[in-house]
Structures are given as C-alpha cells and as structure tokens.
Amino acid sequence: MNENDLRQRYEALKREINYHNYRYHVLDSPVISDAEFDRLMAELKRIEAEHPDWVTPDSPSQRVGGAPLDRFEKVRHPAPILSLANAFDAAGVRAWFERIRKLDARVERARFVVEPKIDGLTVVLHYRDGVFVQGATRGDGEVGEDITANLRTVKSIPLRIPLSENVSAPGTAGTDDLPLFAARKGRESVPTVPAYLVVRGEAFITIRDFERLNRQLEERGEKTYLNPRNTAAGSLRQLDPSIAASRPLTILVYQIVAWEDARLSPPTTQWETLAYLKALGFPVTGVARRFDDLEAAIAYAASWTERRNELPFEADGMVIKIDDLALVADLGVVGKDPRGAIAFKFPAREVTTRLLDIRVNVGRTGVLTPYAVLEPVEIGGVTVERATLHNFDFIAEKDIRIGDRVRVKRAGDVIPYVIGPVVEARSGREQPYRPPKTCPSCGQPVEHFEGEVAWYCVNAACPAQLIRNVEHFVSRGAMDIVGLGIKIVEQLVEAGLVRDVADLYTLRKEDLLPLEGFAEKKAENLLAAIEASKQQSLARLITALGIRGVGEVVAADLARRYPDLDALARATQEDLLQIEGIGPNIAAAIVDWFAQPRNRQVLAKLKAAGVWPRGEARPEGEALPLGGLTFVVTGTLSGFTRQEVKEYIQAHGGRVASSVSKKTDYVVVGENPGSKLQKARALGVKIIGEEELRKMAEGAS
Ligand code: IVH
C-alpha cells in the first residue's frame, strides 16, 4: 500500500471503529463481534505506530487514557451551567406553573418535555468542527475543571460528530440507524454540525455496571465502592486517566450550552434538541416524552415514582421543562435556577436511624462481611433493618460506632447501605468497633491476603461456609429442593448430619425426627423432595456446585457441551475457552474447582448416591430445534413459570439471556411485558408468544 492509500485506510478505520463503538456503547446493538473489533483496533494501532504524526484527537486509540496530569486546568463555561429548582409533589409543580404564567402569557400554551433527572455528575463537552476538543466539570457553574483526558475514555462520548456519515458497516447501510433530523441545508438530510458546539450532559455508572464492578472487586478481595454516583464522580476527578478508562462510565446529554455557526441555527425546542443530539450520535435518554399540557406532564413524571427501579441508573426525580427554548430564555433565572424548568423529586431514599449492632456474615468463599443491624426504619415503602457496611476498612475510615445515628440509603434495587455516622448526634456512649480476630462461626483465626481488603475464614470445614454452600445447592435456580430453607439447613449442619452437600442424599427419617420442629410428615416430605432432586438436570447440578463465575447461563452452556460431570472434570482450560461466554477467569475457576480433593470426594459421593444426571450433550449434527438460538422472556406466561420456560427452552437446545441485545434471536412476550419488549422493538428483534415458542420447540423435533 502506498502512503496515500494507507492514509485513506487510516481515516476509514477511524470512522469505522468510532461507528462500531457507537453501535456497542450508545445503541447497545453491535453488528460485529468483539474479535473483529479488536482486529480493526490492532490495525489502527499498527498504522499509528508507524505514523505517529497522523494521530488526531478523534482517533479511537486516544480513549485509553494518556499520562497522568499534575493538576486540572480551569475552564470558563461559554454560558452559565445552571441548576434546577425542586418540587416535591404535583402541587409544587402547579405552583411553579402559576408563578411563571403570571410572568409571561405564552406559558399558558406551553408544551413540556419530561426527562429523568439522572443522579450523576454534570459534564460540559466542547466540539470544534465536529471534533471533541474539551470536556469540563460543572464547578461553580461559571468555571469548571478540564477533565478532557478522563472524558475521552468514556466510550459513549462521541469523539467526532456526526458519527456515521459515510460510514457503512459490513452488512449495514451506515446512516440508517440515525434518525435524520437536520438543521437542513437545501435538500440535504444529513445532520449538520455547527462550527462550535457545547453540550451538557450527565456522566454516571448504571446500577447494573456498578454492581458488576463491585462483584468483581469483591471476588478479587479488593475494596468495593459505595454507590454509583460517588464512583462516577470520583473516577472523573482523578488526575490519572487510566482510572476513568477502567470504570464503566457512560453519559446522557440533554442540553445545548453554546452554538456558533454562520450558516446554521440551533434547534428551537427542547424536544428538537434531544432529537438533534441523538442524530449526531450522542446518547440521549429514551424515557423523555413531550406533552401538550402540564397535567399530562405531571402524570408522566409521577408515574416514574413507582417505576424508578426500572431506570437503569440512579435518578432522584424527573425534570419538567418548557419545550420552547426562546420562552425559557425569556423567563430568565432566579439565582442559579432557570424559571423554565423544574425538578419533580422522587421521595428521598436516604434516612437516618440508630446502628444497634455490627454483625459479620461468612460467605460461601469464606469472606467476612460486616453488616449493620438497624433500628427498623422505612425507606421508600420498605422497612429496613439490615444494611451493608461494605468492609472493615470502611467502618474504620468512616469511624462508624455502635450506637451511632447513621445515614442509610436505598437506591434502585441495590441493597441498602450505610453512608456514614451523623457525628453531631453523638452522646459519647457510642462504642468503637473492632473487627473479629476469629471467625464468628467456627472460631478459627481469620486471615488477610496481601493486597486485599477482605478478611477470610480459611477453615474449609467452617459451618457458616458450609451452610451458605448447602443453601446455594438447594436453591430455586439450582437443585430446587422444596422445603429445605435456611433454618433447616442450619439445623442439619449444626447437628453434624450434613458435612457436605452430598450428605443430603444419605439422610434418613431417623436422623430428622429428633430435630426441633420435625414430625413424621415433615421428615417424609423433605426426604421425598431430596429424592426428587436427583432427577434435576446436569445444568442445575453444575449451577448448584457453586463454582466461582458459573451461574445458570454458563452452567447450561457446559451441560450442553459435556455429557456428565466426569467429562467436565476432565476438561482443560483450553477446552473450556472454546465455549462462547467462558473467559480465562471462569475457565481457571472450573479447572481449579475440579482439582480440589475435597470437591472430588463430594462428586464421588454424589455419584454413589445416584445424583448423576447426564445425556444433555448431543453428538454434533443432531441439532435440537432451538439449538443456536438465544431467547429473552418478558411478562407473565400462562403455561409456564419463569423457571419452567427457561428450562423448556434450554431442554430444546436454546439459550436464555436476561437482557435484550442485538444477539437476541427471539423475545417471548407474556402478559404485562416490561421494558424488554420496547427494547426488542427498537432493535428489531423478533417477538413471539408462548404458542409460537411451543411450535418452534416441538414442531421440528
Ligand atoms: S436540566 C438549565 N436535565 O440535575 C438546565 N438537569 O439539580 C438545568 N440533571 O445540575 C438542568 N438530569 O446536573 C437537567 N435531564 C436533566 C438532568 C439534569 C440530571 C442534573 C443537573 C443539574 C441538577 C440540578
């Protein structure tokens, strides 16, 4: 390739990678595999290594996070970055409306846009000729800090806009996915960018990504984060951009702060602003709606109070905005709050209550985690009596003492957590807390590993670990032994009847009868349920073993591949890596699990007891009717429970995923479907009912 061709290839590669990045991180609908993406990236980096002078700020290679900074420069915002006034109920919103109606008669006929109020960190993004050149924090609203290097690492922030002009991905038409909204020039319908554009948005971490991040940290014995907001804000305020690069940050934009262009004028309404920003390739909320009158807007905003857990991020309310931006500008500001918008706040999910005690939980892997016993308190309609305290370092850092009044928060579906003590409320009788030196369950000394925050009980025979293991083994998604709740598990372990999960299968009626609460009937029922569980599938048994990283989905994949546990036990890491969805960590965890003599012993006992399902793996070629297809289920089905439909699909060779993506082949819809249905429609995924599912599964076999 000559220099000229190489240069062209380089430019094309940048556009193509930016486009695929957008498909993945903004649309959540990739059209190429991760491996293909990596290949494009590798090619780009090869060219850049040869021609460092070609590298531009909009190159996807610039997202990795450059060298650490000494300090953040100050950035003066092109216009004030305003805040919002709050209303706490519908009456508060109506009062706002009455106030501004008196100021301007146009308010009477105004339309409203309602958007979620994301609990994140405001960011201000500058684009010159479509290239992302600077990003800042809000600061005091006049001057913020230059966090460009950190923001470049946020994959959903476009480095160049519009995104997909002239880019056609393999098998796609390129611009098809962008709703065409244009500041039109003649007949041209491609979005056009002003010479200088500044947009405002909110950076955040979704609840799901936050929980995944914490799970990974916990597995590695590292410190977990407190909440999504602080994690997002904290990572963007670090001088070392590689930190932001390693966190699952994302953004949603909602405002044009500045616009300079001799030819083009900006959108004139909030609704058009959102459509325009979306067309350029920015991530924009899908929850926004426009209304012709205030009551409809209030009703929509209020409806999200009940549904706030369905939002993928933490939100502290909805924002009701006057649509007409000229009117908003004319209405002006009071202090830092524009008159043209109001926040309709959700009820607070943060309260204070008394910390009665700190207790310690021993997990399945022996990790000790402290938790708070609280004076019962209601948060968002739920009575909370327990909350997480993260780890022992957290308690020490926050100087949390028993007897303290503590701030407790419940956000999204996240487990309630203690934020910290209300120091001013101390009486002096509060007791400092000292972490246990021995396991609260077995009394053995606890251990700490270099570089980890967690403390472990390393006693393999620790009853608390065993109880957690058995609890997991018998749980609904695993062996599903009905009637074997945590209380009975504890009784069995404490009585010495169960020393590992296989002991469940040798229990006799005489063993159970002496236990408290056990009469003839109950003992018989329990034994029958245990006996019945021998018929559970191999996938369930694999799930039940509790191998790190092996949940129901991976277990089902393994069960499709290996005829029984003997075959799985023989699998090497290389073999396991061949299976889609299994990476090096899970592969290593599986091999490691089967290598442990203790586990081998349990397997031998299970086999001897007849708990040895097999037969799911079919010889190559003998395909099952749903083989190779991925399904997502939403809503209530009439002929199946959730668990049943899952097993039904798996039994016929299909895969069941929990969220809809471009990789989903079918979404099975029942009554009262959730947001998954909307997502399926948006992505063009095929939607079927229960009957069609049955026909597909049965018809071809
Ligand atoms: S509009 C003039 N819209 O909430 C525009 N703000 O308490 C004023 N926020 O600092 C802001 N989501 O960072 C607006 N959809 C949204 C928002 C939003 C979150 C934040 C914003 C602001 C704070 C006000």
Side-chain angles (χ1 to χ4, degrees), residues 280-322:
L280 290 183
F282 285 104
V284 171
T285 174
V287 167
R289 296 280 180 279
R290 179 157 71 169
F291 297 95
D292 288 338
D293 70 278
L294 183 69
E295 287 308 316
I298 292 176
Y300 182 67
S303 76
W304 280 100
T305 306
E306 308 299 317
R307 289 187 289 157
R308 65 196 278 191
N309 285 355
E310 288 171 29
L311 293 170
F313 42 76
E314 282 193 3
D316 52 349
M318 300 294 283
V319 190
I320 302 181
K321 300 178 178 180
I322 290 195

Side-chain angles (χ1 to χ4, degrees), residues 13 17 36-47 59-64:
L13 263 178
I17 295 173
E36 284 170 283
F37 185 87
D38 292 345
R39 267 200 296 281
L40 294 174
M41 231 12 221
E43 187 183 349
L44 179 97
K45 285 187 181 154
R46 260 199 318 276
I47 302 179
S59 166
S61 65
Q62 302 305 296
R63 289 197 187 272
V64 289

Side-chain angles (χ1 to χ4, degrees), residues 83-84 115-118 122 200 202 254-255 319 321 338:
S83 184
L84 278 175
E115 300 167 20
K117 185 169 178 315
I118 305 145
T122 294
R200 170 182 182 173
E202 206 74 6
Y254 52 80
Q255 194 193 357
V319 190
K321 300 178 178 180

